[in-house]
C-alpha cells in the first residue's frame, strides 16, 4: 500500500507540472493500447477515436496525433508495447486492457514515467480496480455492467408477454436457454450473463438452463460457431441463446444455419438469439430475420469520450471539469448508456 501511495503521489506531482504548461500546448501525442484489432465492436471504437481526434482538434485549435497499437489479445505483447511508450514519453495513453486482471503492471510503468492514462471498454477486474484505477488517480470509460444484461432479459420478456409461443417454441411451458459468455473474469461478461437470465425470470419468463455453466467463447465468432454446433447436437431442446456480444451471436447463427435454423427463409425454424453491441452484421441479421435482437453499445460515443476526456486532462489537469460527462456513483468511471435494438428499431 505504501508503494502505491508513493506512486500515486509521484503521478499527481508529475501531472501537476504537465497541466501547468498544457494550456499553451497546440499539439498532443496520444497513444492507445488496444486489446485486439479484429474485435468488431472494438473496431468501431477505434474508428470513432480517430474521427474524434480530428473533430476535437479542429474544435479546440490543436493537433492531436493519435497512434494505436494492436496487442492481438496478448497481455505480454501489450506490456512490450507499453515499455516502448515509456521510452518515447507520449503525452497520454488510452488503455483497452488485453487482460482485465493484469492492469497493474501498466499502471506502475506509466505512473513511474509520469505519463497520464485512462482505461476504457474492458473494465479492470473487481479484484484490481481499486489499485489500477482508483488508487492511481485514473478513470474508466465504459458502460454499466448489468444494463446490457437487463435489456436482453427485458427484450425476451416483452416477446414472451406478447406471444409465449415466440419464445417457448415447443410449447412445454419451459424456455430452455444457453448463455455465450465473453470471458470468465470480465465484469461486463459476468454481469451480462447474470442479469439477462435474472431479469427475464423476474419479468415472468420460465427460463431453464440446459447447461450448468455458460459457454465461454471469448467474444469470438469462430469459437461460438464451434461450441454452438457441439451444444446443439447434445441439446436440440434449446430455444433461446443469450450472447454477451454480437460476434458470438453471429457465430451461433452460422452454426444453426447448418441445421436449417435461423436462415431467414420463410418456414424455416429459428431460435431466439439476442446479442450485444449493435454491429453492422447484427443489424443486417436482424433485418433479414436471422437474429432476434441486440443491445446497442455506443462505440461512437465511447470513442469520442476517450479522446475528449484525455485532452481535457492534458489541458486542465482534471478529468471532467467543463465537459458534459458525469462521474458515476462509483467515483471512478463515466458510463455510456445502452439501447435496445429489435426488428422495430432496425426498420
Amino acid at each position: 500500500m505504501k508503494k502505491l501511495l508513493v506512486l500515486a503521489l509521484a503521478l499527481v506531482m508529475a501531472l501537476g507540472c504537465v497541466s501547468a504548461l498544457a494550456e499553451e500546448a497546440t499539439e498532443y501525442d496520444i497513444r492507445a493500447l488496444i486489446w485486439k484489432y479484429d474485435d468488431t465492436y472494438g473496431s468501431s471504437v477505434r474508428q470513432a477515436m480517430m474521427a474524434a481526434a480530428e473533430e476535437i482538434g479542429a474544435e479546440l485549435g490543436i493537433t492531436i496525433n493519435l497512434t494505436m497499437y494492436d496487442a492481438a489479445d496478448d497481455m505480454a505483447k501489450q506490456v512490450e508495447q507499453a515499455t516502448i511508450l515509456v521510452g518515447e514519453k507520449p503525452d497520454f495513453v488510452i488503455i483497452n486492457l488485453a487482460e482485465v486482471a493484469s492492469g497493474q503492471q501498466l499502471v506502475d510503468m506509466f505512473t513511474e514515467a509520469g505519463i497520464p492514462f485512462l482505461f476504457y471498454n474492458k473494465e479492470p477486474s473487481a479484484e484490481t480496480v481499486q489499485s489500477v484505477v482508483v488508487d492511481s488517480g485514473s478513470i474508466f470509460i465504459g458502460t454499466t455492467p448489468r444494463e446490457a444484461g437487463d435489456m436482453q432479459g427485458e427484450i425476451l420478456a416483452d416477446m414472451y408477454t406478447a406471444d409465449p409461443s415466440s419464445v417457448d417454441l415447443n410449447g412445454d411451458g419451459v424456455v430452455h436457454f444457453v448463455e455465450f459468455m465473453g470471458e470468465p473474469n470480465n465484469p461486463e461478461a459476468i454481469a451480462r450473463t447474470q442479469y439477462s437470465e435474472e431479469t427475464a425470470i423476474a419479468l415472468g419468463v420460465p427460463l431453464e438452463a440446459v447447461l450448468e455453466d455458460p459457454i465461454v467463447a471469448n467474444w469470438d465468432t469462430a469459437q461460438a460457431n464451434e461450441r454452438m454446433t457441439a451444444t446443439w447436437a447434445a441439446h436440440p431442446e434449446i430455444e433461446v441463446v443469450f450472447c454477451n456480444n454480437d460476434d458470438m451471436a453471429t457465430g451461433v447463427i452460422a452454426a444453426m444455419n447448418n441445421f436449417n435454423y435461423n436462415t431467414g427463409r420463410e418456414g424455416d425454424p429459428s431460435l431466439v438469439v439476442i446479442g450485444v453491441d449493435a454491429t453492422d452484421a447484427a443489424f443486417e441479421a436482424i433485418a433479414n430475420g436471422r437474429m432476434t435482437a441486440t443491445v446497442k453499445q455506443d462505440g461512437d460515443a465511447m470513442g469520442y469520450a476517450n479522446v475528449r476526456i484525455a485532452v481535457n486532462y492534458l489541458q486542465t489537469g482534471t478529468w471532467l471539469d467543463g465537459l458534459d460527462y458525469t462521474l458515476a456513483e462509483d467515483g471512478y468511471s463515466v458510463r455510456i448508456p445502452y439501447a435496445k435494438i429489435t426488428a422495430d428499431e432496425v426498420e
Side-chain angles (χ1 to χ4, degrees):
M1 179 58 71
K2 183 177 180 182
K3 179 182 177 182
L4 285 173
L5 292 174
V6 170
L7 289 173
L9 180 61
L11 176 62
V12 170
M13 294 176 64
L15 299 186
C17 295
V18 171
S19 63
L21 301 173
E23 290 184 1
E24 299 179 3
T26 59
E27 186 169 352
Y28 293 110
D29 178 6
I30 298 178
R31 313 291 179 92
L33 297 175
I34 310 298
W35 77 289
K36 68 173 184 175
Y37 274 15
D38 62 359
D39 176 71
T40 304
Y41 173 73
S43 295
S44 73
V45 179
R46 287 193 294 111
Q47 293 166 9
M49 284 197 289
M50 295 302 295
E54 293 189 15
E55 179 183 344
I56 294 165
E59 177 188 340
L60 300 179
I62 59 177
T63 299
I64 302 173
N65 299 312
L66 178 61
T67 307
M68 302 189 187
Y69 301 82
D70 180 12
D73 199 16
D74 184 341
M75 192 65 208
K77 184 174 182 179
Q78 193 163 73
V79 170
E80 291 176 5
Q81 293 166 342
T83 302
I84 294 171
L85 299 194
V86 166
E88 295 180 349
K89 295 279 187 178
D91 296 311
F92 199 97
V93 180
I94 297 170
I95 304 171
N96 181 208
L97 282 171
E99 292 180 3
V100 294
S102 301
Q104 190 64 54
Q105 188 170 359
L106 301 186
V107 167
D108 292 345
M109 293 168 66
F110 292 136
T111 300
E112 187 173 351
I115 302 170
F117 53 87
L118 64 77
F119 297 89
Y120 81 94
N121 181 230
K122 296 180 68 176
E123 185 169 357
S125 63
E127 296 78 14
T128 66
V129 70
Q130 179 67 35
S131 63
V132 169
V133 183
V134 180
D135 293 345
S136 73
S138 186
I139 196 170
F140 171 73
I141 301 170
T143 50
T144 301
R146 69 171 290 171
E147 189 175 4
D150 282 335
M151 288 186 175
Q152 286 184 310
E154 290 165 4
I155 289 169
L156 187 68
D158 288 344
M159 293 177 62
Y160 187 80
T161 299
D163 179 10
S165 66
S166 68
V167 177
D168 180 10
L169 303 180
N170 62 11
D172 66 354
V174 176
V175 177
H176 299 92
F177 80 102
V178 291
E179 284 269 7
F180 276 76
M181 188 176 192
E183 297 169 300
N185 62 348
N186 183 297
E188 289 279 354
I190 293 169
R192 292 176 190 180
T193 300
Q194 175 180 350
Y195 291 106
S196 56
E197 176 183 356
E198 289 187 6
T199 299
I201 291 173
L203 293 174
V205 182
L207 283 179
E208 182 177 302
V210 303
L211 299 174
E212 184 175 346
D213 297 312
I215 301 168
V216 176
N218 297 299
W219 313 107
D220 186 75
T221 299
Q223 290 186 36
N225 187 331
E226 177 183 348
R227 286 160 199 178
M228 185 61 191
T229 299
T231 303
W232 179 253
H235 295 281
E237 71 273 24
I238 295 169
E239 296 162 309
V240 172
V241 184
F242 289 120
C243 295
N244 284 177
N245 75 337
D246 287 339
D247 280 0
M248 292 190 296
T250 300
V252 167
I253 291 167
M256 295 312 300
N257 288 168
N258 294 326
F259 302 98
N260 291 318
Y261 272 72
N262 294 77
T263 65
R265 297 189 296 260
E266 186 175 353
D268 281 355
S270 289
L271 304 183
V272 174
V273 180
I274 305 175
V276 177
D277 283 343
T279 63
D280 290 344
F283 267 87
E284 181 180 353
I286 293 169
N288 293 337
R290 294 182 291 115
M291 182 171 168
T292 310
T294 186
V295 176
K296 182 179 181 180
Q297 184 175 202
D298 196 337
D300 290 341
M302 186 175 293
Y304 184 90
N306 292 341
V307 178
R308 189 66 189 88
I309 292 172
V311 170
N312 197 65
Y313 192 90
L314 290 171
Q315 292 190 320
T316 71
T318 69
W319 293 116
L320 304 179
D321 285 0
L323 301 182
D324 292 330
Y325 294 104
T326 302
L327 201 65
E329 292 182 1
D330 57 32
Y332 65 82
S333 69
V334 170
R335 303 290 173 171
I336 308 296
Y338 287 101
K340 300 174 191 175
I341 305 294
T342 65
D344 290 339
E345 282 74 33
V346 170
E347 290 175 4

